[in-house]
Amino acid sequence: MPPRPFVNDGLWRCLCPGFPPNAPALIVQRARLPPLNGSRKDSQPRSSGGQLRVYNTSNSPFSTSDSFFSQSSTVPPGFRPFNEQHRPPPQRTSRDQPPLAQLPTHVLYEHVRAEGAKGHFDDVMKICRVLVKDRGEQPNKDMYTAMLHSFVSCSNGTAGKARKVLDEMGFWSDAEGSLSGRPRIELDARGCERVLEVLAVHPDYLLRAELLEYMKARWFTLSDRGQAFVVAGMLRERHFEHALETLEEMVRHKARVEGWLFDQAMWMLLEFGEVEEAFYVLSLKAGVHSTGNAIGTVKLSDALWGALLDAAAQRHLHEAASMVWTTQVLPGYLKPGTGTCLSVLALASRHGDVQLATDVFRLLTERETTFTTYHYELLITTYLKANDLSAALSVILIMVDANLKVDAGTCHPLYWHLCTEKEGQDSRPMQAFSLLQEFETAGRKVPTAAVNACIQASIAMNRLEEAIEIYKALHSVSHAGPNTNTFNILFRGCHRSARKELAMFFASEMIQLGLKPDRITYDRLILVCLQSGDLGDALLYYEEMISVGATAGSKGPMKPRRSTWELLIHKCVVQGDEKAVALLKDYKAGVEEPRKGVERAVVDRFEYGIVPRGGDTSDHVEDWHLTSPTEDAKSPGAGDNTELTESGGAGSPQSMSKRTEEEKIDGESGGLARLMNANKSARPY
């Protein structure tokens, strides 16, 4: 029995690398399959019927020199010109697909459609060349449709390539033939839909309009999927109104709208800040895909739900954000980020949604978040917006227990809430103070800033006596006692009520308690003295303010606010006090942009004897000077602005060059210091 022949193929050379490669090989014949490896004589055709290549390049019905198929130099495997030198074909395994030349024609058409849907343009061209050159197929609409469909690839496809293929098909040609000289190939309804799909990825408004007009002229019905591609293209072109109108019309006519179109519309709208429209699309999707039109039951990705929640919180859409939080976060389906939680908490404080705010705190507590003053301030605002004063005050006391700083800024929402008292209601400041007394009786630690907010609200509503009553009982509520801000608030009330004697008493009590006056303290004392017509005391307070500020720290001397400075200069000018010159020098050195009218008023008064007329504080400084020196001067009224801006550089303590030694001594013994020896036997209130 003869020995069994072996096959000298790729597997043999891999398993036996030492075997001579030029050894004779016995090839096992396979029906209708080309040899895997062999010399030129082995691969020559045995008959015309067994030849693999049945075309001739010169007799090909479709020349590659003037066709779109000639744009790629890739030659399909298994096909090469006769004059090309032989190269060993690539090694194959059993899992590789069979060569294209071995597939039937109908299978090649199926493959070309599948590769076109995947966006593989090169593979589509390979199959088309096999069909044209090997099988003798004429370029037809199936090939061009697959070629057009392959441009759906986001990386390799463009609208320009689709235009080029359509131009080769003769899409814009009025004659029967195309521009390349071959018969015109018209698109069918399927081909038009494939082009619309390409334009949904690579938008081209003009080409889409021409294609829709082409379909309308041939009575092609636009399918639901084709309408979805039109809407997607409009969204990419930022034609949001037209896209939403078309989408709404599809839903109204009960057309089949796939979920990806709704999701894409919401993402695009959120990207460009159209949050309300994104939630409108969500409601449309709920009406189509959910049960009972419940928006919360719509199936969306966690990323899209999170983007909707964050966008709604940023745009202060309370109803939308509350819906997403209730349906997705509360059951545990969605875990929003900390930044989104803070935005939702701010939204809840804006609308007084206590349930939403407390649930945000619950989620942050589960994450072991370290709460800061910012978190508690939002919670305080939420309770105040919901008219729950007791809960808001309890949050302030919780901050004290947590060793967090509670100052005037923290209690500012409380102050605004107490000021919004309606007619016929009981005094809100007194209600808040009564609640603070109850908390103190229960053993809670009450901060002074909360009591100061009550006093400030009473003064803002022109109830000075009520503020004084709260001040009297402050020691019984807050064991820390009053602070500098407490007296600054009281000084404002004295200025608004023109009570200088009361302001002097509070100044003496401030010194007795060992509290240091700040810039606001001196500023308001100057205003009180100017309002009562006591220019001398006002100048003493100003000099003490400059001297104390110069020795207090490295920031330079304290300066009054701009309007107070101008009012003080105006009073000196009206009364002919030459200290206005020194004040003007300090004013010009301490203010960034001094008013020219202030300097002109000083020059007119002391050089030309022109007395300025009365006016409205610093807003009408330009009209201070008049030619009539006999006109009665009326001092401008001081405003109620409590803010002190730190504008301008610091004035020098030596700027008052015209002061005498006696004036300096009076300045050192005046102001708050000279009130130490005042008669305190009787209280002015």
Side-chain angles (χ1 to χ4, degrees):
M1 183 176 180
R4 185 176 181 180
F6 62 90
V7 180
N8 187 6
D9 57 359
L11 179 61
W12 178 266
R13 290 193 298 272
C14 180
L15 297 177
C16 304
F19 194 83
N22 54 358
L26 297 178
I27 308 301
V28 179
Q29 300 294 331
R30 297 177 175 85
R32 292 189 178 184
L33 289 180
L36 293 178
N37 190 19
S39 61
R40 173 175 290 273
K41 62 174 68 177
D42 296 329
S43 60
Q44 290 178 352
R46 289 178 296 273
S47 64
S48 59
Q51 184 176 352
L52 293 177
R53 187 171 52 197
V54 295
Y55 69 92
N56 192 327
T57 56
S58 60
N59 299 328
S60 177
F62 184 68
S63 177
T64 60
S65 60
D66 53 355
S67 170
F68 195 88
F69 298 103
S70 63
Q71 296 184 13
S72 177
S73 60
T74 304
V75 180
F79 296 90
R80 61 184 183 274
F82 290 108
N83 57 356
E84 182 181 347
Q85 295 182 0
H86 168 71
R87 294 180 182 178
Q91 299 179 4
R92 298 176 54 249
T93 61
S94 59
R95 292 179 294 180
D96 291 337
Q97 296 294 332
L100 296 175
Q102 301 177 9
L103 298 177
T105 302
H106 70 278
V107 177
L108 290 177
Y109 275 107
E110 293 178 359
H111 279 16
V112 77
R113 285 193 292 267
E115 296 298 331
K118 296 177 183 178
H120 299 163
F121 174 76
D122 293 338
D123 295 337
V124 169
M125 293 303 300
K126 291 177 182 179
I127 300 175
C128 288
R129 285 194 177 90
V130 171
L131 290 172
V132 171
K133 296 181 179 181
D134 182 53
R135 306 300 168 87
E137 296 284 335
Q138 289 286 345
N140 51 45
K141 62 181 180 181
D142 293 331
M143 298 182 189
Y144 279 108
T145 299
M147 194 184 307
L148 289 169
H149 201 188
S150 66
F151 297 142
V152 77
S153 172
C154 60
S155 57
N156 298 324
T158 60
K161 293 180 179 179
R163 278 182 173 273
K164 189 173 182 180
V165 174
L166 291 175
D167 191 18
E168 184 175 324
M169 295 173 63
F171 181 77
W172 289 280
S173 178
D174 296 333
E176 292 296 330
S178 62
L179 295 179
S180 58
R182 285 177 291 274
R184 178 181 178 183
I185 301 176
E186 292 192 1
L187 283 174
D188 56 0
R190 176 175 169 273
C192 293
E193 184 174 316
R194 296 297 177 263
V195 179
L196 290 176
E197 184 176 357
V198 173
L199 296 180
V201 181
H202 310 284
D204 189 334
Y205 176 78
L206 296 178
L207 181 57
R208 184 189 304 107
E210 293 175 354
L211 191 65
L212 293 176
E213 189 67 25
Y214 174 87
M215 297 179 66
K216 183 179 179 181
R218 285 157 180 75
W219 295 87
F220 289 161
T221 302
L222 187 62
S223 63
D224 296 342
R225 186 174 176 83
Q227 290 182 349
F229 293 144
V230 172
V231 173
M234 291 180 179
L235 289 172
R236 286 189 175 272
E237 293 167 351
R238 316 298 186 258
H239 296 161
F240 296 136
E241 293 184 3
H242 293 168
L244 292 181
E245 289 177 0
T246 307
L247 183 61
E248 184 180 3
E249 185 177 356
M250 292 176 63
V251 174
R252 188 187 307 114
H253 291 85
K254 297 182 179 180
R256 184 176 181 272
V257 184
E258 299 181 7
W260 64 266
L261 182 60
F262 289 112
D263 296 347
Q264 181 182 0
M266 284 184 280
W267 277 118
M268 294 290 293
L269 292 171
L270 289 176
E271 181 181 357
F272 288 90
E274 303 293 341
V275 184
E276 294 86 350
E277 286 74 8
F279 276 94
Y280 174 70
V281 175
L282 178 62
S283 64
L284 291 179
K285 184 174 183 179
V288 174
H289 294 281
S290 64
T291 305
N293 295 337
I295 297 180
T297 60
V298 178
K299 293 183 179 180
L300 298 179
S301 62
D302 293 342
L304 184 53
W305 277 120
L308 288 170
L309 177 61
D310 186 65
Q314 293 291 339
R315 294 293 296 271
H316 303 290
L317 302 179
H318 174 251
E319 184 178 355
S322 180
M323 180 272 300
V324 177
W325 189 278
T326 304
T327 58
Q328 302 299 320
V329 180
L330 196 58
Y333 303 140
L334 179 65
K335 298 296 182 182
T338 304
T340 303
C341 292
L342 292 180
S343 300
V344 175
L345 183 59
L347 178 64
S349 66
R350 186 185 183 95
H351 294 270
D353 193 340
V354 177
Q355 182 178 0
L356 180 59
T358 52
D359 195 67
V360 173
F361 258 77
R362 176 194 60 80
L363 182 61
L364 294 176
T365 303
E366 293 177 356
R367 297 180 181 179
E368 299 181 355
T369 304
T370 302
F371 293 110
T372 61
T373 305
Y374 175 74
H375 299 86
Y376 286 107
E377 286 177 355
L378 293 177
L379 190 59
I380 292 171
T381 306
T382 305
Y383 282 116
L384 292 176
K385 192 69 176 181
N387 293 323
D388 194 346
L389 181 59
S390 178
L393 294 176
S394 64
V395 174
I396 295 177
L397 302 185
I398 291 174
M399 294 178 62
V400 177
D401 297 337
N403 296 324
L404 294 176
K405 183 180 180 180
V406 179
D407 53 8
T410 306
C411 298
H412 195 69
L414 175 62
Y415 160 71
W416 281 111
H417 175 75
L418 299 179
C419 289
T420 57
E421 177 184 311
K422 298 181 180 179
E423 296 183 2
Q425 291 183 346
D426 296 336
S427 175
R428 284 189 176 183
M430 292 303 297
Q431 290 179 2
F433 187 71
S434 300
L435 291 173
L436 291 176
Q437 286 179 325
E438 295 177 0
F439 285 129
E440 194 278 333
T441 305
R444 306 290 297 276
K445 186 177 180 181
V446 179
T448 305
V451 183
N452 290 344
C454 301
I455 299 175
Q456 187 177 5
S458 299
I459 291 177
M461 292 183 288
N462 296 322
R463 295 202 291 258
L464 181 59
E465 290 75 11
E466 181 179 280
I468 293 175
E469 293 298 326
I470 297 176
Y471 167 73
K472 290 179 181 179
L474 187 147
H475 293 277
S476 62
V477 177
S478 176
H479 297 288
N483 53 21
T484 303
N485 190 34
T486 306
F487 289 99
N488 291 341
I489 296 171
L490 293 172
F491 288 144
R492 185 190 181 194
C494 295
H495 170 248
R496 299 185 64 172
S497 303
R499 297 282 301 274
K500 181 187 175 184
E501 76 287 352
L502 183 60
M504 296 300 103
F505 176 80
F506 285 138
S508 63
E509 283 202 353
M510 185 177 181
I511 294 177
Q512 289 180 359
L513 294 174
L515 299 175
K516 294 182 179 180
D518 57 7
R519 183 188 178 197
I520 301 179
T521 307
Y522 284 109
D523 186 277
R524 290 180 177 170
L525 284 174
I526 292 173
L527 291 176
V528 171
C529 295
L530 291 178
Q531 189 178 29
S532 63
D534 194 347
L535 180 59
D537 286 350
L539 290 173
L540 291 176
Y541 280 123
Y542 171 77
E543 293 174 2
E544 184 177 346
M545 180 182 186
I546 296 296
S547 60
V548 171
T551 59
S554 60
K555 294 183 179 181
M558 289 188 293
K559 306 183 299 291
R561 64 173 180 170
R562 179 171 183 159
S563 58
T564 305
W565 220 334
E566 294 173 353
L567 180 61
L568 185 59
I569 297 174
H570 176 77
K571 284 290 187 178
C572 293
V573 170
V574 171
Q575 297 187 12
D577 194 334
E578 295 183 355
K579 292 181 180 179
V581 178
L583 289 174
L584 177 62
K585 187 176 181 180
D586 293 346
Y587 168 75
K588 293 173 64 177
V591 178
E592 290 184 356
E593 297 180 359
R595 296 177 184 266
K596 295 181 179 180
V598 178
E599 182 178 1
R600 186 166 63 248
V602 176
V603 173
D604 291 347
R605 179 68 173 99
F606 295 102
E607 290 188 7
Y608 304 105
I610 302 176
V611 181
R613 66 175 176 83
D616 297 332
T617 65
S618 59
D619 293 334
H620 300 83
V621 178
E622 298 291 342
D623 300 328
W624 277 3
H625 63 285
L626 285 177
T627 58
S628 176
T630 59
E631 185 177 356
D632 294 336
K634 181 180 179 182
S635 63
D640 293 332
N641 184 12
T642 60
E643 297 296 330
L644 298 174
T645 58
E646 296 292 342
S647 62
S652 174
Q654 290 78 18
S655 61
M656 309 288 286
S657 58
K658 294 188 178 181
R659 294 177 185 169
T660 62
E661 191 66 27
E662 291 79 10
E663 290 173 340
K664 294 182 180 180
I665 296 175
D666 292 340
E668 293 175 356
S669 60
L672 292 179
R674 66 186 178 85
L675 293 175
M676 289 293 297
N677 299 323
N679 184 11
K680 296 181 282 294
S681 59
R683 292 178 178 266
Y685 50 81

